[in-house]
Amino acid sequence: MGNCADCMRRVFCPPKNTNVRISLPAVCFVWQIAMIVLFGVFIRYDAESDIRLWLQLKHTNNITSDIDNDFYFRYPSFQDVHVMIFVGFGFLMTFLKRYSFGGVGFNFLIGAFGLQWALLMQGWFHALDPDTGKISIGIEGLINADFCVAASLIAYGALLGKVSPVQLMVVTLFGVTLFAVEEYIILDLLHCRDAGGSMVIHCFGGYYGLTISWILYRPKLNQSKRLQGSVYHSDVFAMIGTLFLWMFWPSFNSAITDHGSGQHRTAINTYIALASSVLTTVAISSASEKRGKLDMVHIQNATLAGGVAMGTAAEFMITPYGALIVGFCTGIISTFGYLFVSPFLEKYLKIQDTCGVHNLHALPGMLGGFIGAIVAAAATEEVYSREGLIETFDFEGEFADRTVGTQGGFQAAGVCVAIAFAVVGGAAVGLILRLPIWGDPADDNCFDDEVYWEVPEDDEGILPVLEYNNHMTHKRQDISESNFSVEQS
Amino acid sequence: MGNCADCMRRVFCPPKNTNVRISLPAVCFVWQIAMIVLFGVFIRYDAESDIRLWLQLKHTNNITSDIDNDFYFRYPSFQDVHVMIFVGFGFLMTFLKRYSFGGVGFNFLIGAFGLQWALLMQGWFHALDPDTGKISIGIEGLINADFCVAASLIAYGALLGKVSPVQLMVVTLFGVTLFAVEEYIILDLLHCRDAGGSMVIHCFGGYYGLTISWILYRPKLNQSKRLQGSVYHSDVFAMIGTLFLWMFWPSFNSAITDHGSGQHRTAINTYIALASSVLTTVAISSASEKRGKLDMVHIQNATLAGGVAMGTAAEFMITPYGALIVGFCTGIISTFGYLFVSPFLEKYLKIQDTCGVHNLHALPGMLGGFIGAIVAAAATEEVYSREGLIETFDFEGEFADRTVGTQGGFQAAGVCVAIAFAVVGGAAVGLILRLPIWGDPADDNCFDDEVYWEVPEDDEGILPVLEYNNHMTHKRQDISESNFSVEQS
Amino acid sequence: MGNCADCMRRVFCPPKNTNVRISLPAVCFVWQIAMIVLFGVFIRYDAESDIRLWLQLKHTNNITSDIDNDFYFRYPSFQDVHVMIFVGFGFLMTFLKRYSFGGVGFNFLIGAFGLQWALLMQGWFHALDPDTGKISIGIEGLINADFCVAASLIAYGALLGKVSPVQLMVVTLFGVTLFAVEEYIILDLLHCRDAGGSMVIHCFGGYYGLTISWILYRPKLNQSKRLQGSVYHSDVFAMIGTLFLWMFWPSFNSAITDHGSGQHRTAINTYIALASSVLTTVAISSASEKRGKLDMVHIQNATLAGGVAMGTAAEFMITPYGALIVGFCTGIISTFGYLFVSPFLEKYLKIQDTCGVHNLHALPGMLGGFIGAIVAAAATEEVYSREGLIETFDFEGEFADRTVGTQGGFQAAGVCVAIAFAVVGGAAVGLILRLPIWGDPADDNCFDDEVYWEVPEDDEGILPVLEYNNHMTHKRQDISESNFSVEQS
């Protein structure tokens, strides 16, 4: 009967062509060569990484010691962020039983591409020398590039298992571009503060991915239902991602804040908020199941919501108990999201969100933006001191006259800009991705590494009973061959 | 026959109620709300993380640069310690074939709760401003909170698989409380040095857990014997924990030592001792098996004993070869512990020690305390210089007249205090945990994630043979359902 | 029939004696005791980790603050390197379906031994005080020891699964010794620059391992073919290694460069080159398969080639686009290596290279050496400034008159020295390892953890159907017992 149903499906819905042998290498080569050309034209070392400029800088500024190079005060945070991007996001996406290669592998691919493009895009907006027309990069640029990539990786979370690597490269190309523009508007034009990127990274990245997923809606996705869950050890792999994200989130939020008390405070606030999220996530997860059992999906994701929601406000004087309250609430909201909002989105709004990025990034990011607006608006000279207010909110130059109330308003406006860019940009990118040229998988072939990876045979029990093995191998080959013949037909 | 035996068991020993749907959320919510209230009343940023105080500090102390903030000189070590607490301890406890979720997940839960409570408890003892009644927290406070939590996580190692998450929250609540008191007595009143916590963390945590396990002795634990081992890949997961602990132990021991040569020396000594432990562990493990094969349990655990045993003495001038000797001996002792002491403890002293914390933490920690006492007593002005002795042992204020001999005596007394707190406190907590309200698992249900986690079906081979899958799924559902009916009966 | 073939094999080719119960503990104990004695005679803390010397140094050099200790500016990089050595290399070698214990476990063993021996060997060449006859160690010494060990671990990659742990200890003993000598010749006598060790680490380590593998050629290795691949989750484990290597490679290359712009630039160049490698690896991997599928072997390895190839030149002003080009080319070359060169080496040159270290280390390392030579020879005062040239290439003392052209020539000569040491040394070590006393596995027993590890029974499905389990357990015991009887015969 199963075979018969299979037959019918093949006749009426011929499988898509998932062969990316031309398109994937072509995209990788063309884009990488473009990077080389653009780097050649635009990118140079900054004054702290160029030997000639560094020696000049030392002479002119009376810097006596090489250890005053900013490298030593940013690099540890940079490496923590780097781990979050590649191990954190990568392993968090290994939870599917047969999409671990795609989860960690495509995350790696688009991360490596995205950070190059991000160095250029962010450089044009933030670090272009008007005289020479060159972009200067240093350690802060690398951190920013990682941040920029994070938004596209979040978007990948919504699309996990349903798109081809070529589509992901497109998502990243436009994702990084849109990011650089919205970041420029929010941070430079609106002069918002958003050290950990609640708005510019999480809110933008989340809604960007959700909008693309909405455009790419697959009504028959339940044909891949057999692959849509986890297995025991894939859940343990995903915990590697969760824990590295959770532990290093204080570094993420504080990586590019101002040196001094700002960076110190940001790390403390994030650490506290994350701790609080864990407890409320466990509470809601347990309370939602008949026998009080915990759900790994919640533990893997909602525990991180406190870090997302503190991305804007961690830099401010939110107070330690304020951070606890933020973690408390967002842990609850995020877990409820997994329980109720995701099914609702899928059923009524036709948004299929594989990793639940709505609950972990989009919503907590949006909340984080508004929390930041409120905390900014509530800032007082009594708490910050006059000098502290100026330093924290950077009320200098053309923004010297801004009050904290106005700042709060602009912060809130920043959230709206991020969402607008995400939805409009995501819709455009989604439409591009609907072109039938990208090699995306068929509805019954989603969440399956077999499509884009050479997957090893899985003979778990390596018993020296040769007949048995041979028998099984043949059987599996039959199956694989029949698969191939179908795909090629 | 198996079914019949099952029947009998069910009649004469009705399964415990492991439903934690009320208790776990209640505990999480109540304690987290308590944290918010107490943080609100007591906890404030310290002078290096509060913008107003930092600016004041800079003005009064002529600090010219924001990079003189202590954040930059503690934060990398803090993150290493953080990784040890959550990934190190967490993954080390994934070695059981069906308790990986509980190992890493409950470690996460009690870590996140414990560090909040630790900030308060340690703050009251060490960082309470008598004028304002407020606790100041900064990066050093976060490291100390992680340390404090470590003791409770070590205790969890002894209890792994045999207690409910609610019980673990109780273990942590009291563990952190006891820790803060014994630490105050040992470090402040006795004025011991214990940078890496051989005494206050490992010795205390180990005996605390062992005492609780002794009180909670389960005579029929072999009913869960089928789940008491590892499988191939769970042992590989555990190696993630081992390696991160091993690599970052130099950071653990040096994280809160005095800046300068002390921190430098502590890292070197720990690194050397750990290297030595690996070789003797391998030697004893191989020699103990008929065909010279290595045992993963030893490699995962006893290789770390050198780090534990150097927790006190690493700060002193123990010399590099002294560190090698410490690692050499403790590697041997710890491996012998796994071979002979653990079975002895279980059989004759009725102490069931799942992870063998006696061999990795309690005993090496106790030894480390005494090694520290000896090395302190043997300190000379020739080696340290007069100024160096004062700096290393902090012979200042009311302790200005203390000699190294006296210091050695106090160090040894510190070990006794740690053990006394562990045993008395552990016994009290154990008795509390014997109340029949905590939802702990039945003897035949230990080491099983099914009890507290929604465990995914484990259909490893995702073959497109639908009939086969359906068949198996049904079969498993039957089994699960029968399980449920048992538990509910 | 399988049984019959088995019979025949057992009769005509009796299994080797793989019992290492005497030899492994003996080697570990003797060498560890030797280390203690040698450390006792030679090794002391350096001026920054010895309390007396540090206080002296502070007084004489007017160092006002303990945070000027070099510990704070090297330690974060050291820990990144440490993670690469133990988690990076260790987990990269877990990819085989039944040699994960050996991959990560023996890596751990030889790493822990090697770094002790490296502290001595490198100390004798670089840090021996001629007056006192003592070696001073500090944080830079620890980094160098890790580097030195890396070469032996690379050699292990070529030998993975085919040698006994005792043989690996021999490989490491001689590997570290040879390394220290060639490093002394290349860095001190030829005065080459090789911060990240393209020549001294990767090129040397790779060819050293390949030569040993060539001498130990096993014509009948395909008898172990059933174990020579990966399984799904072992490939995911290997990605942990890949990603930690990839992320922390900037720290590896920059860990011991000069402070200031040099360290900053090295990290940037490496980061950029690695990103580029990922894209070309993906491109070639996809293009090489009929349906454009990616091969995990390429993703796990060739993506790292950019980091290897930048080991020498990253320190120089190679420019960001130069780094991109290096990564671009080496990603392609390395992937082609896996596709064509490895099979060629095995078939025609009789070199069995389990991990493909030729493609990841030997060849990219050699290329990296020559790239460094070219970039050095092309250095100009215009780009570096006169002072910058002197600082970058250390044109001081007896080398004050060297020109960049000459430097380029010496750099190229360095590559040749590294290869010569690797081939001659490797051949000698290989011949030693052919003695029939080391307990190496038989040809049909390679890549099998059963030989040197107590491997847990792998009953994945822990169903409460007791009869079934008992049945299977018995069956497996039968098989294991028959195995044992064979090995003992």
Side-chain angles (χ1 to χ4, degrees):
Chain A
M1 200 200 80
N3 279 339
C4 183
D6 256 31
C7 272
M8 299 289 279
R9 206 170 58 225
R10 282 168 203 165
V11 171
F12 292 106
C13 170
K16 294 192 174 187
N17 181 6
T18 59
N19 192 329
V20 291
R21 194 184 181 184
I22 306 294
S23 54
L24 183 57
V27 165
C28 287
F29 270 123
V30 170
W31 292 5
Q32 187 59 56
I33 291 168
M35 289 301 114
I36 293 175
V37 173
L38 291 169
F39 269 53
V41 176
F42 288 105
I43 297 217
R44 297 293 177 269
Y45 304 118
D46 72 0
E48 298 199 285
S49 51
D50 184 294
I51 181 74
R52 194 172 52 80
L53 300 177
W54 173 243
L55 291 172
Q56 266 178 23
L57 195 74
K58 280 172 70 179
H59 291 314
T60 47
N61 290 16
N62 268 323
I63 297 171
T64 51
S65 172
D66 275 321
I67 58 177
D68 285 335
N69 197 297
D70 202 34
F71 178 79
Y72 300 99
F73 305 94
R74 296 275 183 211
Y75 191 72
S77 300
F78 160 67
Q79 277 297 2
D80 291 352
V81 173
H82 218 39
V83 171
M84 292 175 72
I85 298 295
F86 290 93
V87 165
F89 283 112
F91 272 85
L92 191 60
M93 291 196 268
T94 58
F95 73 99
L96 287 170
K97 64 180 82 167
R98 281 280 139 170
Y99 209 72
S100 303
F101 288 9
V104 68
F106 293 149
N107 183 80
F108 191 21
L109 169 64
I110 61 184
F113 164 66
L115 60 87
Q116 298 177 50
W117 182 226
L119 283 174
L120 282 161
M121 281 302 302
Q122 294 192 312
W124 282 320
F125 280 109
H126 297 288
L128 194 70
D129 184 318
D131 297 330
T132 61
K134 305 296 181 196
I135 296 164
S136 297
I137 59 165
I139 186 70
E140 213 170 324
L142 305 197
I143 298 173
N144 273 314
D146 272 12
F147 277 4
C148 182
V149 166
S152 295
L153 298 180
I154 290 165
Y156 178 32
L159 305 171
L160 187 73
K162 300 174 295 182
V163 290
S164 75
V166 184
Q167 287 179 309
L168 287 173
M169 295 290 280
V170 175
V171 167
T172 309
L173 181 76
F174 288 103
V176 167
T177 312
L178 289 163
F179 179 94
V181 179
E182 58 108 35
E183 188 201 37
Y184 178 71
I185 295 172
I186 294 172
L187 300 192
D188 288 50
L189 302 188
L190 302 182
H191 199 67
C192 298
R193 304 293 293 176
D194 193 17
S198 284
M199 297 181 269
V200 297
I201 300 171
H202 298 286
C203 182
F204 166 75
Y207 286 112
Y208 177 62
L210 290 167
T211 311
I212 297 174
S213 190
W214 174 63
I215 303 277
L216 299 182
Y217 181 66
R218 290 166 178 268
K220 292 179 186 166
L221 191 60
N222 63 357
Q223 287 176 3
S224 297
K225 209 183 169 189
R226 71 192 184 286
L227 296 165
Q228 244 175 316
S230 60
V231 287
Y232 194 72
H233 66 253
S234 72
D235 268 328
V236 182
F237 277 123
M239 280 304 288
I240 299 174
T242 299
L243 288 176
F244 275 103
L245 288 171
W246 192 89
M247 294 180 304
F248 288 163
W249 216 292
S251 304
F252 191 91
N253 283 352
S254 70
I256 53 159
T257 49
D258 293 330
H259 284 314
S261 74
Q263 201 156 8
H264 202 151
R265 186 169 56 251
T266 308
I268 294 173
N269 285 333
T270 311
Y271 167 94
I272 289 174
L274 284 162
S276 179
S277 279
V278 176
L279 271 88
T280 50
T281 299
V282 167
I284 303 296
S285 182
S286 174
S288 70
E289 211 263 352
K290 212 176 57 179
R291 295 194 48 75
K293 294 187 185 189
L294 298 170
D295 190 329
M296 260 291 168
V297 172
H298 306 155
I299 306 300
Q300 282 159 11
N301 292 283
T303 50
L304 302 166
V308 175
M310 288 301 284
T312 304
E315 203 182 358
F316 306 152
M317 295 285 291
I318 191 172
T319 71
Y321 68 91
L324 274 186
I325 293 169
V326 170
F328 187 92
C329 298
T330 48
I332 294 172
I333 291 167
S334 184
T335 315
F336 272 120
Y338 281 94
L339 287 165
F340 304 114
V341 181
S342 283
F344 176 86
L345 287 182
E346 178 148 4
K347 198 162 175 194
Y348 297 103
L349 300 188
K350 310 293 180 204
I351 298 175
Q352 291 153 334
D353 179 7
T354 314
C355 294
V357 302
H358 180 265
N359 315 308
L360 172 51
H361 296 285
L363 187 60
M366 190 179 67
L367 288 175
F370 289 123
I371 292 166
I374 294 165
V375 178
T380 60
E381 268 190 45
E382 200 187 328
V383 172
Y384 289 75
S385 79
R386 180 74 206 140
E387 193 188 345
L389 269 184
I390 292 169
E391 196 180 303
T392 305
F393 296 102
D394 204 13
F395 289 155
E396 280 169 345
E398 55 174 314
F399 304 100
D401 298 332
R402 201 180 260 191
T403 63
V404 290
T406 327
Q407 179 68 23
F410 276 102
Q411 296 278 144
V415 182
C416 305
V417 172
I419 295 174
F421 263 81
V423 173
V424 175
V429 172
L431 289 172
I432 293 170
L433 294 185
R434 290 191 68 171
L435 297 176
I437 56 170
W438 305 112
D440 52 314
D443 288 346
D444 61 339
N445 232 352
C446 287
F447 315 115
D448 193 351
D449 273 334
E450 284 282 355
V451 180
Y452 303 113
W453 296 86
E454 293 190 35
V455 175
E457 287 173 37
D458 226 353
D459 37 355
E460 278 283 331
I462 320 290
L463 301 172
V465 188
L466 296 173
E467 288 85 356
Y468 173 79
N469 269 345
N470 287 341
H471 174 69
M472 284 309 290
T473 312
H474 285 144
K475 213 166 149 193
R476 284 186 189 182
Q477 278 173 350
D478 292 352
I479 292 158
S480 322
E481 275 159 29
S482 70
N483 261 354
F484 274 105
S485 61
V486 172
E487 285 167 22
Q488 283 157 2
S489 68
Chain B
M1 202 200 81
N3 280 337
C4 183
D6 257 32
C7 272
M8 298 289 278
R9 207 171 58 226
R10 282 170 203 165
V11 171
F12 291 105
C13 169
K16 294 193 174 187
N17 182 4
T18 59
N19 192 328
V20 290
R21 194 182 181 183
I22 305 296
S23 54
L24 183 57
V27 165
C28 287
F29 270 123
V30 170
W31 293 5
Q32 188 59 57
I33 291 168
M35 290 300 113
I36 293 175
V37 173
L38 291 169
F39 269 53
V41 175
F42 288 104
I43 298 218
R44 297 293 177 269
Y45 303 119
D46 73 0
E48 298 198 286
S49 51
D50 183 295
I51 180 73
R52 194 172 51 81
L53 300 178
W54 173 242
L55 291 172
Q56 266 179 21
L57 194 74
K58 279 172 72 178
H59 292 314
T60 47
N61 291 15
N62 267 323
I63 297 170
T64 52
S65 172
D66 275 322
I67 59 179
D68 286 334
N69 196 298
D70 202 33
F71 177 79
Y72 301 99
F73 304 94
R74 296 275 182 212
Y75 191 72
S77 299
F78 160 67
Q79 276 296 3
D80 291 351
V81 173
H82 217 40
V83 171
M84 291 175 71
I85 298 295
F86 290 94
V87 166
F89 283 111
F91 272 86
L92 191 60
M93 292 196 268
T94 59
F95 74 99
L96 287 170
K97 63 181 82 168
R98 280 281 140 170
Y99 208 72
S100 302
F101 288 10
V104 69
F106 294 148
N107 183 80
F108 191 21
L109 169 64
I110 61 185
F113 164 66
L115 59 86
Q116 297 177 50
W117 182 226
L119 282 174
L120 282 162
M121 281 303 303
Q122 294 192 312
W124 282 319
F125 280 108
H126 297 289
L128 194 69
D129 184 319
D131 296 331
T132 61
K134 304 295 182 197
I135 297 164
S136 296
I137 60 166
I139 186 69
E140 214 171 324
L142 305 197
I143 299 173
N144 273 315
D146 272 12
F147 277 4
C148 182
V149 166
S152 295
L153 298 180
I154 290 166
Y156 178 34
L159 306 171
L160 187 72
K162 299 174 296 183
V163 289
S164 75
V166 185
Q167 287 179 309
L168 287 173
M169 295 291 279
V170 175
V171 167
T172 308
L173 180 76
F174 288 102
V176 167
T177 311
L178 288 162
F179 179 95
V181 178
E182 59 108 36
E183 189 200 38
Y184 177 71
I185 294 173
I186 295 173
L187 300 191
D188 288 52
L189 302 188
L190 301 182
H191 199 67
C192 297
R193 304 292 293 177
D194 194 17
S198 284
M199 298 183 270
V200 297
I201 299 170
H202 298 286
C203 182
F204 166 75
Y207 285 112
Y208 177 60
L210 290 168
T211 311
I212 296 173
S213 190
W214 175 63
I215 303 277
L216 298 182
Y217 181 66
R218 290 168 177 267
K220 293 182 185 163
L221 191 61
N222 63 357
Q223 287 176 1
S224 296
K225 209 184 169 189
R226 72 192 184 284
L227 296 165
Q228 243 175 317
S230 61
V231 287
Y232 195 71
H233 66 253
S234 72
D235 269 327
V236 182
F237 277 123
M239 280 303 289
I240 298 174
T242 299
L243 288 176
F244 275 104
L245 287 171
W246 192 89
M247 295 180 304
F248 288 162
W249 215 292
S251 305
F252 191 91
N253 284 352
S254 71
I256 53 159
T257 50
D258 292 331
H259 284 314
S261 74
Q263 201 157 7
H264 201 152
R265 187 169 57 251
T266 307
I268 294 173
N269 286 332
T270 311
Y271 167 94
I272 289 174
L274 285 162
S276 179
S277 280
V278 175
L279 270 88
T280 50
T281 299
V282 167
I284 302 296
S285 183
S286 175
S288 69
E289 211 264 352
K290 212 176 56 177
R291 296 193 49 73
K293 294 187 185 187
L294 298 170
D295 190 329
M296 260 291 169
V297 172
H298 306 154
I299 307 300
Q300 282 159 10
N301 293 283
T303 51
L304 302 166
V308 175
M310 287 301 282
T312 304
E315 202 182 358
F316 306 151
M317 295 285 290
I318 191 173
T319 72
Y321 67 91
L324 274 186
I325 293 170
V326 170
F328 188 93
C329 298
T330 47
I332 294 172
I333 291 167
S334 183
T335 315
F336 273 119
Y338 281 95
L339 287 166
F340 305 113
V341 182
S342 283
F344 175 86
L345 287 181
E346 176 147 7
K347 199 162 174 194
Y348 297 104
L349 299 189
K350 310 293 180 204
I351 299 174
Q352 290 153 336
D353 178 6
T354 315
C355 294
V357 301
H358 179 265
N359 315 305
L360 172 51
H361 296 284
L363 187 61
M366 190 178 66
L367 289 175
F370 290 123
I371 293 166
I374 294 165
V375 177
T380 61
E381 269 190 42
E382 201 187 329
V383 172
Y384 289 76
S385 78
R386 181 72 207 141
E387 193 187 344
L389 269 184
I390 292 168
E391 195 180 302
T392 305
F393 295 101
D394 204 13
F395 288 154
E396 280 169 345
E398 56 174 315
F399 304 101
D401 298 333
R402 201 180 261 192
T403 64
V404 290
T406 326
Q407 179 69 23
F410 277 103
Q411 295 279 145
V415 181
C416 305
V417 172
I419 295 175
F421 263 82
V423 173
V424 175
V429 172
L431 289 172
I432 294 169
L433 294 185
R434 291 190 68 171
L435 297 176
I437 56 170
W438 306 111
D440 51 317
D443 288 346
D444 61 340
N445 232 352
C446 287
F447 314 115
D448 193 351
D449 273 334
E450 285 282 355
V451 181
Y452 303 113
W453 296 87
E454 294 190 35
V455 176
E457 287 174 37
D458 226 354
D459 38 353
E460 279 283 330
I462 320 291
L463 301 172
V465 187
L466 295 172
E467 287 84 357
Y468 173 78
N469 269 346
N470 287 341
H471 174 69
M472 283 309 289
T473 311
H474 285 144
K475 215 167 147 191
R476 284 186 189 180
Q477 278 173 349
D478 293 351
I479 292 159
S480 321
E481 276 159 28
S482 69
N483 261 353
F484 274 105
S485 60
V486 172
E487 285 166 23
Q488 284 157 0
S489 69
Chain C
M1 201 201 79
N3 280 339
C4 182
D6 256 32
C7 271
M8 299 289 279
R9 206 170 60 225
R10 282 169 203 166
V11 172
F12 292 104
C13 169
K16 294 192 173 187
N17 182 4
T18 59
N19 192 328
V20 291
R21 193 182 181 183
I22 307 294
S23 54
L24 183 57
V27 165
C28 288
F29 270 124
V30 170
W31 293 5
Q32 188 58 56
I33 291 168
M35 289 301 113
I36 292 175
V37 173
L38 291 169
F39 268 54
V41 176
F42 289 105
I43 297 217
R44 297 294 176 270
Y45 304 118
D46 73 0
E48 297 198 286
S49 51
D50 184 295
I51 180 74
R52 193 170 52 79
L53 301 177
W54 173 243
L55 292 172
Q56 266 178 22
L57 194 75
K58 281 173 70 179
H59 291 314
T60 48
N61 290 16
N62 267 322
I63 297 170
T64 50
S65 171
D66 275 322
I67 58 178
D68 285 335
N69 197 298
D70 202 33
F71 177 79
Y72 300 99
F73 305 95
R74 295 276 181 210
Y75 191 72
S77 299
F78 160 67
Q79 276 297 3
D80 291 352
V81 173
H82 218 40
V83 171
M84 291 175 72
I85 298 294
F86 290 94
V87 165
F89 282 111
F91 272 85
L92 191 59
M93 291 196 268
T94 58
F95 74 99
L96 288 170
K97 63 181 83 167
R98 280 281 140 169
Y99 208 72
S100 302
F101 287 10
V104 69
F106 293 150
N107 183 82
F108 191 21
L109 169 64
I110 62 184
F113 164 66
L115 59 87
Q116 297 177 50
W117 182 226
L119 282 175
L120 282 162
M121 281 302 304
Q122 294 192 314
W124 283 319
F125 280 109
H126 297 288
L128 194 68
D129 184 319
D131 297 330
T132 61
K134 304 296 181 198
I135 296 164
S136 297
I137 59 165
I139 187 69
E140 213 170 324
L142 306 197
I143 298 173
N144 273 313
D146 271 13
F147 277 3
C148 183
V149 166
S152 295
L153 298 180
I154 290 165
Y156 178 34
L159 306 171
L160 187 73
K162 300 174 297 182
V163 290
S164 74
V166 185
Q167 287 180 310
L168 287 173
M169 296 291 279
V170 175
V171 166
T172 309
L173 181 76
F174 288 103
V176 167
T177 311
L178 289 162
F179 179 95
V181 179
E182 59 108 35
E183 189 199 38
Y184 177 71
I185 294 172
I186 294 173
L187 300 191
D188 287 51
L189 302 188
L190 301 183
H191 199 68
C192 297
R193 304 292 295 177
D194 194 16
S198 284
M199 298 182 269
V200 299
I201 299 170
H202 298 286
C203 183
F204 166 76
Y207 285 113
Y208 177 61
L210 290 168
T211 311
I212 297 173
S213 191
W214 175 63
I215 303 277
L216 298 182
Y217 181 65
R218 291 167 177 267
K220 293 180 185 163
L221 191 61
N222 64 358
Q223 287 177 3
S224 297
K225 211 184 165 185
R226 72 192 184 286
L227 296 165
Q228 245 176 317
S230 60
V231 287
Y232 195 72
H233 67 252
S234 72
D235 268 328
V236 182
F237 277 122
M239 280 305 288
I240 298 174
T242 300
L243 288 176
F244 275 103
L245 288 171
W246 192 89
M247 295 180 304
F248 287 163
W249 216 292
S251 305
F252 190 91
N253 284 351
S254 71
I256 53 159
T257 50
D258 293 330
H259 284 313
S261 75
Q263 201 157 7
H264 201 150
R265 185 169 59 250
T266 309
I268 293 173
N269 285 332
T270 311
Y271 166 94
I272 288 174
L274 285 161
S276 180
S277 280
V278 175
L279 271 88
T280 51
T281 299
V282 167
I284 302 295
S285 183
S286 174
S288 69
E289 211 263 354
K290 214 176 55 179
R291 296 192 49 73
K293 294 186 184 186
L294 298 170
D295 189 330
M296 260 291 168
V297 172
H298 306 153
I299 306 301
Q300 281 159 11
N301 293 281
T303 50
L304 303 167
V308 175
M310 287 302 282
T312 304
E315 202 182 358
F316 307 151
M317 295 285 291
I318 191 172
T319 72
Y321 68 91
L324 274 187
I325 292 170
V326 170
F328 187 92
C329 298
T330 48
I332 294 172
I333 291 167
S334 184
T335 315
F336 272 120
Y338 281 94
L339 287 166
F340 304 114
V341 182
S342 283
F344 175 87
L345 287 181
E346 176 147 6
K347 199 163 175 194
Y348 297 104
L349 299 188
K350 310 294 181 203
I351 298 174
Q352 290 153 335
D353 179 6
T354 314
C355 294
V357 301
H358 180 266
N359 315 307
L360 173 51
H361 296 284
L363 188 60
M366 191 179 67
L367 289 175
F370 290 124
I371 293 165
I374 294 166
V375 178
T380 60
E381 269 190 44
E382 201 188 327
V383 171
Y384 288 76
S385 78
R386 180 74 206 140
E387 194 188 343
L389 269 184
I390 292 168
E391 194 179 303
T392 304
F393 296 101
D394 204 13
F395 288 155
E396 280 170 345
E398 55 175 315
F399 304 100
D401 298 332
R402 202 181 260 191
T403 64
V404 290
T406 326
Q407 179 68 25
F410 277 103
Q411 296 277 145
V415 182
C416 304
V417 171
I419 294 175
F421 262 82
V423 173
V424 175
V429 172
L431 290 171
I432 293 169
L433 294 184
R434 290 191 67 171
L435 296 175
I437 56 171
W438 305 113
D440 51 316
D443 288 346
D444 61 339
N445 232 351
C446 287
F447 315 115
D448 193 351
D449 273 334
E450 284 282 354
V451 181
Y452 303 113
W453 296 87
E454 293 190 35
V455 175
E457 286 173 38
D458 226 353
D459 38 355
E460 279 283 332
I462 320 292
L463 301 172
V465 186
L466 295 173
E467 287 85 356
Y468 173 80
N469 268 347
N470 288 342
H471 175 69
M472 284 310 289
T473 311
H474 286 145
K475 212 167 149 192
R476 282 185 190 183
Q477 278 174 349
D478 292 350
I479 292 159
S480 323
E481 276 160 28
S482 70
N483 261 354
F484 273 105
S485 61
V486 172
E487 284 165 23
Q488 284 157 1
S489 69

